[in-house]
Amino acid sequence: DDEEEEDDEEEEDMDVEGNDMDLRLARLEHLMERRPILLSSVLLRQNPHNVAEWHKRVKLYKDANDARNVIQTFAEAVKTVDPEHATGKPHTLWLSFAEFYETHGDID
């Protein structure tokens, strides 16, 4: 009986570890999916006036068909980028923002 109980405990431990491994893999996959956005966040924190990086971030959301985040990103970009400190041409953010609305219409 003692041997059977030990075997049952070992199987439970393996199951717990197996579930833990599945959870860890799921977390890793989620992190890898978010990696480009996270990297963009870091780069924009280092230089919020980097016009090219704002365009890259918008493209990430466009590629994911996430119109709401595209709009939020454009809005944040045009509020954040100071033309005197900008690296790149800040007017391109406004133009791209306008083009996005022109092609997609008003999005609720």
Side-chain angles (χ1 to χ4, degrees):
D1 284 331
D2 288 338
E3 283 184 30
E4 287 179 26
E5 286 180 23
E6 286 179 18
D7 288 342
D8 288 343
E9 287 177 14
E10 286 178 15
E11 286 178 20
E12 287 177 20
D13 288 345
M14 287 175 58
D15 187 40
V16 169
E17 289 175 14
N19 286 339
D20 185 46
M21 184 61 78
D22 290 341
L23 180 61
R24 289 178 188 204
L25 282 173
R27 285 180 178 169
L28 176 62
E29 288 172 4
H30 181 67
L31 183 61
M32 292 304 292
E33 289 171 4
R34 293 182 47 220
R35 183 181 182 275
I37 293 295
L38 295 172
L39 179 61
S40 176
S41 295
V42 169
L43 292 173
L44 287 171
R45 239 181 258 122
Q46 290 174 351
N47 181 5
H49 308 290
N50 184 341
V51 174
E53 190 56 41
W54 282 108
H55 280 294
K56 287 179 191 175
R57 187 175 183 88
V58 166
K59 185 176 181 335
L60 290 171
Y61 287 125
K62 280 183 181 178
D63 291 347
N65 292 321
D66 189 349
R68 192 169 309 283
N69 274 325
V70 168
I71 292 168
Q72 287 176 347
T73 301
F74 270 130
E76 187 178 349
V78 296
K79 283 192 283 186
T80 304
V81 174
D82 180 354
E84 291 180 14
H85 298 94
T87 54
K89 299 177 181 180
H91 71 276
T92 61
L93 290 168
W94 286 100
L95 290 172
S96 296
F97 198 9
E99 287 172 5
F100 182 80
Y101 265 113
E102 188 174 64
T103 57
H104 292 83
D106 192 16
I107 298 171
D108 293 325

